[in-house]
Amino acid sequence: MSHIIKRSLRAAFVGSLLAGAIVPQALASSHREAPFITKSPKIDATDFYMFRSYETGRANFVTLIANYVPLQDPYGGPNYFQMDPEALYEIHIDNNGDAREDLSFQFRFTNTVKDAKFTVGGKQVSIPLVINGGAIADINAAGTNVRETYAVTVVRGDRRSGTRSSVTHATGGSATFDKPIDNIGKKAIPDYQAYAAKHVYSVTIPGCSPPARLFVGQRKDPFVVNLGETFDLINIKAPAIEFLPNAERNAKDDLADKNVTSIEMEVASSCLTSGSDPVIGGWTTASMRQGRLLNPTPPSNGAPSKEGGAWTQVSRLGMPLVNEVVIGLKDKDKFNHSKPSGDSQFADYVTNPTLPALVEVLYGSAGAKAPTNFPRNDLVAAFLTGVKGVNQPAAVTPAEMLRLNTSIAPTAMGAQKRLGVIDGDNAGFPNGRRPGDDVVDIALRVVMGKLCTINLGCAPADAPAGALRFTDGAYLDDSFFTAGFPYLKTPIAGSPQQ
């Protein structure tokens, strides 16, 4: 294959990848997106956010949010949703456009059973719960029966062989951080918001200043989507506002009653960029050890399995929706194992995108015609290389990841446009991703040719439906969140007795 053909394939892959990624066939972000990851929900990445902090006085920082453990029912006791101590969770930053990590933040968790006991009939007997009866208000409170802690390592260069150093408390220098237990209910944790706030830490990242902020804990799932109807062959009353009044608000958010576990960092922009280029790329991964040996007779407080071997990546997430609706079923696990630098290997699935045509098949009679420009250069610009003048690096290797121009000032809460760049708010998606960016509606409109209407990579004639305001009907904007770090709201309590 000639160099020109390879380059064309890559461009087609880029456009097709994102074209498929944003049609409404499986708009669940990355919840349960591949066969193997459904077996390991503790390492299933659900969403990734990367944006200039819009909290007052924090505009020189970038907030990174990596969410894991999807579809958490708040009442999911007695063990609730601890992170996996046998896994490696990572956030990666590419700051020179070569589709390879230059900076990685690695998270490892440790769960310690305190083995609280009650005296029953004169005998000390271990209790079966993660709490022992006392109200919980402080870090590592006496009322908790499990202590979940974690450590953070920053790696500069290759994630496996680069220079490593520990992230520490800004005061005291400890490298161990406590994670709050999940929101069991008001009787166990009278003021969960105040309790969780004590787990927001000021931290030192070696070679980086000023201090960063860190939080890991349960949050209300921030993703909003009309999930059930979209899986049912896009069984939505109207995919575009023109078809039904108030269509953007007519559907149920099927994640409204779910929680998620968030890994959040707020880092100075200058610590993430390289040289004079303000654009960074980011993605998350989770890895497991290659080998697992099950113990048929695990001892008390002992491991039920033995993990060993090299780390093996099993989850990957940058842009939302990619693995769900683009990659063939037999290769979804392969995609989760892959790196952005190798994305051209999936070209066969996306050289000629079929998913935009699905919208036409189902709704074409109402004018929802698929774009006709191939390859989809509009999507290449928006989702793989970045948009020139907005978030394209000085030098870029096409690859699937979020890209953020850290020189574009954040938009204050209350003034943010939920449709981001396509509505004139360049601080929003696809220039990074804020919690209040309605990526489902944005993606639907872009895949159906919104960018062609402004001659970005294609012409208006290429997109007969480019001006339609497509929606899944589940509304999202910045009012769903708080005005400061950690931005995502307090998780839903497991007990209704509030």
Side-chain angles (χ1 to χ4, degrees):
M1 184 181 293
S2 70
H3 176 71
I4 292 176
I5 294 175
K6 287 181 179 179
R7 184 171 57 189
S8 298
L9 261 180
R10 182 182 293 115
F13 164 70
V14 170
S16 302
L17 177 66
L18 275 301
I22 54 185
V23 300
Q25 188 180 19
L27 296 176
S29 196
S30 286
H31 302 60
R32 295 174 53 84
E33 80 285 354
F36 181 78
I37 207 66
T38 63
K39 301 178 182 180
S40 305
K42 289 187 177 184
I43 51 175
D44 185 358
T46 69
D47 284 286
F48 178 51
Y49 302 88
M50 180 170 67
F51 56 95
R52 282 276 299 271
S53 297
Y54 51 86
E55 179 180 345
T56 301
R58 306 292 291 186
N60 291 328
F61 290 80
V62 170
T63 296
L64 307 167
I65 302 176
N67 288 342
Y68 289 89
V69 197
L71 305 176
Q72 295 181 18
D73 291 319
Y75 47 81
N79 290 295
Y80 295 92
F81 303 96
Q82 298 169 3
M83 300 293 269
D84 189 348
E86 303 296 341
L88 174 66
Y89 302 85
E90 299 177 273
I91 299 174
H92 307 283
I93 300 296
D94 167 23
N95 57 26
N96 59 13
D98 67 354
R100 301 178 185 276
E101 67 272 13
D102 299 294
L103 193 70
S104 297
F105 297 100
Q106 299 183 337
F107 293 77
R108 293 293 312 277
F109 291 84
T110 300
N111 300 332
T112 303
V113 176
K114 298 181 182 179
D115 193 24
K117 296 180 173 65
F118 283 171
T119 301
V120 182
K123 292 185 177 181
Q124 290 282 297
V125 182
S126 298
I127 68 171
L129 306 176
V130 297
I131 55 175
N132 63 21
I136 298 164
D138 296 311
I139 295 174
N140 190 27
T144 59
N145 195 24
V146 176
R147 184 184 185 188
E148 190 171 8
T149 61
Y150 62 97
V152 187
T153 301
V154 58
V155 183
R156 301 182 187 278
D158 183 87
R159 62 206 282 195
R160 298 294 181 255
S161 60
T163 302
R164 306 169 62 84
S165 51
S166 295
V167 175
T168 60
H169 288 262
T171 301
S174 170
T176 299
F177 304 91
D178 276 84
K179 172 182 172 290
I181 65 171
D182 295 342
N183 193 0
I184 297 169
K186 200 174 186 69
K187 186 174 182 180
I189 312 172
D191 188 345
Y192 193 89
Q193 182 175 345
Y195 164 69
K198 294 179 180 181
H199 296 80
V200 175
Y201 303 106
S202 177
V203 299
T204 298
I205 301 173
C208 189
S209 64
R213 288 196 289 189
L214 173 67
F215 172 80
V216 177
Q218 191 181 50
R219 298 282 90 187
K220 165 68 183 71
D221 194 325
F223 196 66
V224 168
V225 63
N226 178 8
L227 184 58
E229 291 182 336
T230 56
F231 273 119
D232 186 21
L233 293 178
I234 321 179
N235 188 17
I236 299 173
K237 294 177 182 178
I241 290 175
E242 283 79 4
F243 304 162
L244 190 68
N246 301 314
E248 289 177 321
R249 301 175 183 267
N250 274 342
K252 173 187 174 185
D253 169 23
D254 288 320
L255 301 183
D257 60 351
K258 304 298 183 183
N259 292 328
V260 74
T261 300
S262 297
I263 295 174
E264 304 197 29
M265 297 189 76
E266 187 187 53
V267 184
S269 301
S270 58
C271 296
L272 301 175
T273 57
S274 176
S276 60
D277 193 342
V279 177
I280 59 174
W283 69 99
T284 71
T285 62
S287 301
M288 302 174 66
R289 294 293 188 183
Q290 283 184 342
R292 171 177 292 175
L293 181 66
L294 299 182
N295 187 343
T297 56
S300 298
N301 270 338
S305 65
K306 179 68 174 180
E307 321 288 328
W311 288 114
T312 300
Q313 180 183 305
V314 295
S315 178
R316 169 188 164 189
L317 177 60
M319 285 281 188
L321 310 174
V322 170
N323 207 1
E324 290 81 352
V325 298
V326 177
I327 307 302
L329 185 62
K330 71 182 182 69
D331 281 338
K332 288 183 180 294
D333 292 327
K334 184 176 182 180
F335 180 83
N336 266 346
H337 282 70
S338 69
K339 297 181 178 181
S341 58
D343 278 347
S344 61
Q345 68 183 298
F346 303 107
D348 286 347
Y349 286 117
V350 291
T351 301
N352 297 292
T354 59
L355 290 177
L358 177 61
V359 177
E360 179 176 329
V361 168
L362 295 173
Y363 298 102
S365 61
K369 303 294 184 181
T372 58
N373 55 303
F374 300 101
R376 291 291 303 274
N377 290 323
D378 53 329
L379 300 181
V380 172
F383 297 104
L384 200 72
T385 64
V387 178
K388 190 172 183 179
V390 179
N391 65 336
Q392 186 178 103
V396 60
T397 297
E400 189 276 298
M401 64 179 73
L402 280 180
R403 284 193 168 85
L404 173 69
N405 186 340
T406 63
S407 70
I408 294 177
T411 303
M413 185 174 179
Q416 294 176 17
K417 301 288 185 66
R418 71 182 193 91
L419 299 179
V421 172
I422 66 171
D423 197 22
D425 184 358
N426 284 352
F429 184 80
N431 181 31
R433 181 186 176 189
R434 302 169 301 197
D437 291 333
D438 194 338
V439 296
V440 174
D441 282 8
I442 296 169
L444 287 173
R445 298 177 196 196
V446 171
V447 75
M448 294 306 292
K450 174 64 177 178
L451 299 183
C452 297
T453 67
I454 56 175
N455 294 291
L456 181 57
C458 48
D462 295 322
L468 292 181
R469 294 177 291 171
F470 287 90
T471 181
D472 74 325
Y475 189 84
L476 175 69
D477 65 16
D478 61 355
S479 69
F480 285 53
F481 305 96
T482 67
F485 189 84
Y487 293 101
L488 307 188
K489 283 193 171 181
T490 298
I492 301 168
S495 167
Q497 304 301 325
Q498 297 296 306

